[in-house]
Amino acid sequence: MRLGAQDLREMNLFKYYRLVRRWACKTYNMTDADLELLIYLDCKSRFTRNDFINGAYTYSWDKKRWERLRAEGWIDVWRHRNRTTIMYSVYKTSFKCQQLITRIYRILLGEEDLPTSHRSKFYNNKTYTDKVFNKAIDDMIKDKDR
């Protein structure tokens, strides 16, 4: 079964995308471009460094993005190059990255709620912006149509 535009509209899939994206970025200390690039790479399953570069063209330029994402554990090596038969390494998103993306999908589908405990980095009332987003989270949790 193939989903159409009307099916996605009825699911209200992107209704709270901005809020969920902001939660993920603040909680895991990454930029919006990093998160969206990781979602793109996760859809590709296995990728090369050139796939990463081609996917990053639409985002703001960040020379250190590749090494930062690898150092923080978002990208793992799936197969190393061996200089004779395998000319380049193949990468995949890490288990940590796959779990984050799965959690984002579950929150967008309404299967899971955003955390509202005081231990959460996102759910503290230090600034006006935090208070506005907390109100939006409360409205999202109360929304039965998401």
Side-chain angles (χ1 to χ4, degrees):
M1 181 179 116
R2 185 168 171 94
L3 292 176
Q6 190 61 31
D7 297 327
L8 290 175
R9 178 173 284 139
E10 289 172 5
M11 289 173 56
N12 294 324
L13 187 62
F14 297 116
K15 189 173 183 180
Y16 294 107
Y17 174 72
R18 179 174 165 79
L19 182 63
V20 174
R21 186 189 72 204
R22 292 282 305 247
W23 164 79
C25 290
K26 188 169 183 180
T27 303
Y28 293 97
N29 194 23
M30 64 174 57
T31 64
D32 294 339
D34 292 346
L35 178 64
E36 291 179 3
L37 185 59
L38 287 172
I39 291 171
Y40 166 76
L41 294 172
D42 187 59
C43 292
K44 291 186 79 67
S45 182
R46 293 182 183 97
F47 54 92
T48 63
R49 176 72 193 259
N50 285 336
D51 293 332
F52 175 86
I53 291 168
N54 291 336
Y57 279 136
T58 58
Y59 301 109
S60 61
W61 174 249
D62 184 359
K63 185 177 180 180
K64 299 178 182 177
R65 180 177 285 140
W66 173 257
E67 287 303 322
R68 187 180 66 247
L69 291 176
R70 288 200 52 211
E72 291 176 0
W74 296 107
I75 297 174
D76 289 337
V77 177
W78 183 73
R79 183 185 70 196
H80 289 281
R81 66 179 272 193
N82 65 3
R83 299 181 196 271
T84 56
T85 58
I86 302 171
M87 297 307 217
Y88 49 86
S89 295
V90 177
Y91 302 92
K92 66 181 181 89
T93 53
S94 67
F95 180 74
K96 175 172 94 168
C97 180
Q98 293 169 2
Q99 291 296 100
L100 170 63
I101 293 169
T102 302
R103 189 170 186 196
I104 289 171
Y105 287 146
R106 288 178 40 193
I107 291 170
L108 288 174
L109 290 170
E111 297 173 1
E112 184 178 334
D113 289 331
L114 282 175
T116 57
S117 69
H118 295 290
R119 293 182 303 155
S120 173
K121 289 182 185 180
F122 195 72
Y123 204 80
N124 56 11
N125 288 322
K126 291 186 177 178
T127 64
Y128 176 75
T129 306
D130 289 340
K131 292 177 185 179
V132 170
F133 276 110
N134 292 343
K135 172 75 169 95
I137 290 171
D138 293 338
D139 292 343
M140 182 180 91
I141 292 171
K142 291 176 188 174
D143 187 5
K144 302 297 180 198
D145 295 330
R146 67 177 176 120

